[in-house]
Amino acid sequence: MDLDSGRCRRVLDGHPSTVGGPVIADGRALRDPGGARVCLHADQLEVSPDGRWLYYQPASGGMSRIGTRWLDDPTLSAEELARRVEPWADTPSTGGTAIDALGTIYVSDIERRRILAVGPDRSVRTLVADPRLNWVDAMCLDTEGHLWLPAAQLHLTAGFNGGHPAVAYPVHVYRMPVDAGPPSPDHA
């Protein structure tokens, strides 16, 4: 949406980088109440601290990026825009992402209950792995340099568990130091 004009346009609709495959959590494909495999399309979105890049992926994994300047250019055809997409990191099924002020992207790995850190240089490392990290979703960073990790257990809700609720309450939220805060909200 162009905030100045209020005009909306849809970009990268149907592009392979936005189309999700089956989501895998704890070693199994998610199923809806009717038994069909669950596919979640482009769901994770992060803007680089300098505002130049949009990083994104479907929940089934495979992170891509595109320059925000290309997204801001309504004169580009869908084909021209698609050519500017770059594969960025081979990531697993994820419940959520967050980006820090240094450009590190944190990715929750719902297949293996861990948090990955994808560096600005495309390096991928395991930040933490723990059985309590049960579908971490909606991560965020605070100004004290902590990464907050809500273990939401979404794969155990009826909508993703073949119609059978199995969430173990209470749901927990963890936090850990990462020594970097959130990016400035001003990407001007």
Side-chain angles (χ1 to χ4, degrees):
M1 171 183 263
D2 181 322
L3 295 178
D4 293 329
S5 69
R7 281 179 287 215
C8 296
R9 64 189 180 93
R10 193 173 176 103
V11 296
L12 299 174
D13 192 24
H15 188 275
S17 66
T18 67
V19 177
V23 179
I24 309 297
D26 286 348
R28 66 175 178 81
L30 302 185
R31 303 267 179 197
D32 69 17
R37 285 189 174 197
V38 173
C39 296
L40 303 171
H41 303 299
D43 185 50
Q44 318 306 334
L45 306 168
E46 301 297 339
V47 176
S48 63
D50 61 9
R52 293 182 52 217
W53 297 99
L54 173 69
Y55 298 91
Y56 64 95
Q57 73 174 66
S60 56
M63 185 175 288
S64 299
R65 79 175 187 171
I66 188 168
T68 54
R69 71 181 179 269
W70 307 122
L71 296 172
D72 289 341
D73 186 349
T75 66
L76 286 180
S77 70
E79 294 79 22
E80 289 174 300
L81 191 61
R83 283 194 293 275
R84 288 170 168 77
V85 171
E86 300 176 25
W88 186 250
D90 183 19
T91 51
S93 289
T94 185
T97 58
I99 192 168
D100 69 23
L102 303 175
T104 298
I105 303 169
Y106 303 95
V107 177
S108 71
D109 178 350
I110 60 176
E111 292 182 47
R112 294 175 193 88
R113 295 191 185 198
R114 62 187 181 160
I115 304 300
L116 304 175
V118 180
D121 62 354
R122 291 186 175 171
S123 62
V124 179
R125 66 183 170 88
T126 299
L127 184 65
V128 62
D130 191 296
R132 296 173 293 179
L133 299 178
N134 203 350
W135 190 305
V136 170
D137 191 15
M139 291 182 286
C140 67
L141 290 143
D142 65 26
T143 56
E144 285 79 45
H146 291 100
L147 180 63
W148 290 78
L149 309 165
Q153 304 177 58
L154 291 180
H155 64 303
L156 299 175
T157 61
F160 290 157
N161 195 34
H164 306 288
V167 173
Y169 291 100
V171 171
H172 297 281
V173 177
Y174 303 99
R175 83 177 175 159
M176 65 179 295
V178 292
D179 299 325
S184 167
D186 182 11
H187 290 131

